């Protein structure tokens, strides 16, 4: 079927609320509750979200040649190969046993990227931050703040209570899926299935500038080694780090290949910029592969990479090229809050955050 032409980016595609800065201030105050509680518990500061990593991978991103003009934009304007780091995680701000099942995250850092940078974007890297679901659970930062305040109250070591809640919510989620329904809210509270993260497809959820256009991003597994893991559940009972151990065992022998895909906005009404709870229909705005990411067999929990990536790096949608400016209220709120969290972690741990070179 023919598709609408992609929408050209203009500043007018965004709408700004007058109290966005107040919301950001309250978000930082709430994140401080989480950061201080977890730092006191562990004697070590961790990320305010996606605190627990399950794997750190080194890889190579290869941008395809011969892309049509609307896809040859920004980082993807020219064919080439880049070193990458991948961090696979779970979205909670505290480090929980794996049987408390939550959505997975994948953060990608592309190294030695040239071009005009976003404001305050250090180094020469491009970050992409994704989760294994196509929509966000809150329409805007103010609604997310309400959920975060509840989460902050449960950020402690009440793991038994969370395990019971997670088991109940997993049952609820399974019932909804059997009926052909999906609930990002139920999954974000602990109802997500404990599936192998190497077989998952990940989404940016929020939109970004894509050079002259507007897009969302996705990373999907394509190699047989990975697609065989799609939907495979991991036994996490009495194994607090089962996911990390599973990924480590698998990556010792398998080769991973993913496609990096772009979904161009083709209708601002059906594919809104300011509401990330709306899924952009792939029948009207398809995802198209613009690059491949390849990872050879490796130790996905090597001491060196855990220190270099998990401890000394941060991932932010605001680290990168001006051609991939984050768009929308949620993304605008992420800039200051990501910086705030990283500064707390660096200060508490007395470990500066670094952007890597080649």
């Amino acid at each position: 079927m023919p598709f609408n032409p992609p929408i050209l980016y203009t500043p007018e595609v965004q709408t700004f609320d007058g109290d966005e800065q107040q919301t950001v201030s309250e978000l930082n105050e709430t994140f401080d509750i989480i950061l201080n509680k977890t730092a006191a518990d562990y004697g070590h500061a961790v990320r305010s979200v996606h605190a627990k990593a399950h794997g750190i991978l080194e890889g190579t991103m290869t941008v395809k040649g011969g892309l049509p003009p609307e896809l040859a934009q920004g980082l993807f304007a020219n064919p080439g190969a880049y070193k990458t780091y991948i961090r696979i995680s779970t979205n909670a701000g505290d480090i929980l046993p794996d049987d408390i099942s939550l959505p997975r995250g994948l953060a990608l850092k592309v190294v030695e990227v040239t071009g005009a940078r976003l404001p305050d974007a250090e180094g020469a890297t491009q970050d992409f931050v994704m989760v294994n679901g196509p929509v966000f659970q809150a329409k805007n930062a103010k609604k997310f703040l309400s959920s975060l305040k509840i989460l902050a109250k449960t950020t402690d070591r009440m793991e038994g209570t969370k395990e019971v809640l997670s088991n109940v919510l997993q049952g609820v989620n399974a019932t909804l899926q059997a009926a052909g329904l999906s609930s990002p809210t139920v999954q974000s509270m602990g109802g997500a299935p404990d599936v192998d993260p190497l077989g998952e497809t990940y989404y940016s959820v929020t939109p970004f500038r894509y050079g002259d256009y507007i897009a969302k991003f996705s990373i999907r597994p394509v190699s047989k080694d990975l697609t065989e893991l799609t939907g495979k559940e991991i036994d996490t009972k009495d194994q607090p780090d089962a996911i990390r151990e599973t990924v480590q065992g698998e990556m010792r022998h398998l080769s991973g290949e993913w496609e990096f895909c772009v979904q161009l906005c083709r209708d601002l009404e059906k594919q809104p910029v300011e509401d990330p709870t709306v899924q952009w229909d792939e029948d009207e705005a398809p995802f198209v592969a613009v690059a491949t990411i390849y990872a050879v067999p490796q130790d996905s929990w090597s001491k060196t990479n855990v220190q270099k990536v998990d401890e000394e790096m941060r991932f932010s949608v605001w680290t990168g090229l001006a051609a991939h400016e984050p768009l929308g209220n949620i993304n605008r709120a992420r800039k200051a809050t990501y910086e705030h969290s990283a500064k707390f972690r660096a200060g508490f741990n007395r470990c500066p955050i670094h952007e890597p070179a080649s």
Side-chain angles (χ1 to χ4, degrees):
M1 63 173 285
F3 302 109
N4 292 337
I7 301 294
L8 286 169
Y9 166 80
T10 67
E12 289 73 30
V13 300
Q14 298 190 85
T15 56
F16 294 80
D17 294 332
D19 60 352
E20 285 189 6
Q21 289 307 310
Q22 176 60 34
T23 301
V24 167
S25 295
E26 291 187 50
L27 282 167
N28 281 337
E29 290 171 6
T30 309
F31 276 127
D32 277 341
I33 296 171
I34 297 172
L35 289 164
N36 281 291
K37 279 186 178 180
T38 53
D41 277 349
Y42 311 137
H44 186 82
V46 296
R47 290 166 170 83
S48 55
V49 291
H50 290 275
K52 186 174 186 177
H54 303 298
I56 307 293
L57 303 176
E58 292 189 43
T60 302
M61 171 186 271
T62 303
V63 176
K64 294 177 179 289
L67 293 172
E70 66 269 21
L71 293 175
Q73 301 282 326
L75 170 62
F76 309 94
N78 298 295
Y82 301 87
K83 180 180 178 62
T84 62
Y85 294 96
I86 292 172
R87 180 180 186 265
I88 299 169
S89 62
T90 287
N91 77 344
D94 42 357
I95 298 175
L96 301 169
D98 288 346
D99 59 353
I100 301 174
S101 181
L102 293 161
R104 310 289 172 229
L106 183 151
L108 172 71
K109 188 178 289 288
V110 186
V111 180
E112 285 203 339
V113 175
T114 59
R117 306 285 292 168
L118 287 162
D120 306 316
E122 297 177 354
T125 60
Q126 175 68 52
D127 289 1
F128 298 96
V129 180
M130 305 191 188
V131 294
N132 62 335
V135 296
F136 196 64
Q137 73 266 32
K139 185 175 181 176
N140 54 45
K142 191 177 293 185
K143 290 186 180 296
F144 177 68
L145 174 62
S146 298
S147 300
L148 187 68
K149 287 179 177 178
I150 296 171
L151 181 64
K153 293 177 180 177
T154 68
T155 302
D156 49 33
R157 295 195 169 187
M158 294 173 60
E159 293 171 358
T161 303
K162 292 181 180 180
E163 286 180 45
V164 171
L165 177 61
S166 180
N167 289 334
V168 170
L169 291 174
Q170 284 182 59
V172 171
N173 189 63
T175 302
L176 289 171
Q177 289 185 328
L181 303 173
S182 178
S183 172
T185 301
V186 169
Q187 293 187 8
S188 70
M189 292 173 63
D194 268 319
V195 293
D196 194 316
L198 291 177
E200 290 290 275
T201 296
Y202 295 87
Y203 302 86
S204 68
V205 177
T206 52
F208 294 78
R209 186 172 176 179
Y210 192 69
D212 294 332
Y213 303 99
I214 304 159
K216 289 185 178 181
F217 306 124
S218 178
I219 292 175
R220 62 190 180 200
V222 291
S223 60
K224 187 171 183 288
D225 281 348
L226 296 184
T227 57
E228 287 181 342
L229 301 176
T230 301
K232 177 186 174 185
E233 294 204 24
I234 296 173
D235 182 7
T236 57
K237 185 174 176 57
D238 301 322
Q239 300 179 76
D241 298 317
I243 298 172
R244 181 182 299 163
E245 292 161 6
T246 298
V247 170
Q248 187 176 29
E250 291 166 342
M251 282 305 304
R252 284 197 175 104
H253 63 83
L254 67 77
S255 295
E257 185 177 350
W258 297 261
E259 285 183 334
F260 187 100
C261 301
V262 171
Q263 184 184 32
L264 293 173
C265 176
R266 298 173 184 273
D267 185 324
L268 285 170
E269 292 295 321
K270 295 180 179 179
Q271 296 129 34
V273 167
E274 293 289 350
D275 187 354
T277 65
V278 175
Q279 184 173 355
W280 293 8
D281 189 338
E282 294 183 44
D283 290 334
E284 298 177 350
F287 278 103
V288 182
V290 295
T292 57
I293 301 164
Y294 189 72
V296 299
Q298 60 191 274
D299 182 357
S300 62
W301 202 249
S302 74
K303 194 171 183 179
T304 299
N305 273 351
V306 169
Q307 179 63 32
K308 180 168 63 176
V309 180
D310 210 42
E311 293 294 331
E312 297 177 6
M313 290 186 198
R314 76 179 184 116
F315 294 84
S316 167
V317 295
W318 285 92
T319 298
L321 300 177
H324 300 309
E325 176 188 351
L327 302 176
N329 174 273
I330 289 288
N331 272 339
R332 292 192 295 273
R334 291 165 98 177
K335 184 177 188 297
T337 53
Y338 278 39
E339 291 172 353
H340 185 82
S341 175
K343 285 178 181 177
F344 178 93
R345 190 159 56 95
F348 190 96
N349 295 339
R350 299 181 181 180
C351 177
I353 303 295
H354 305 283
E355 286 300 323
S358 173

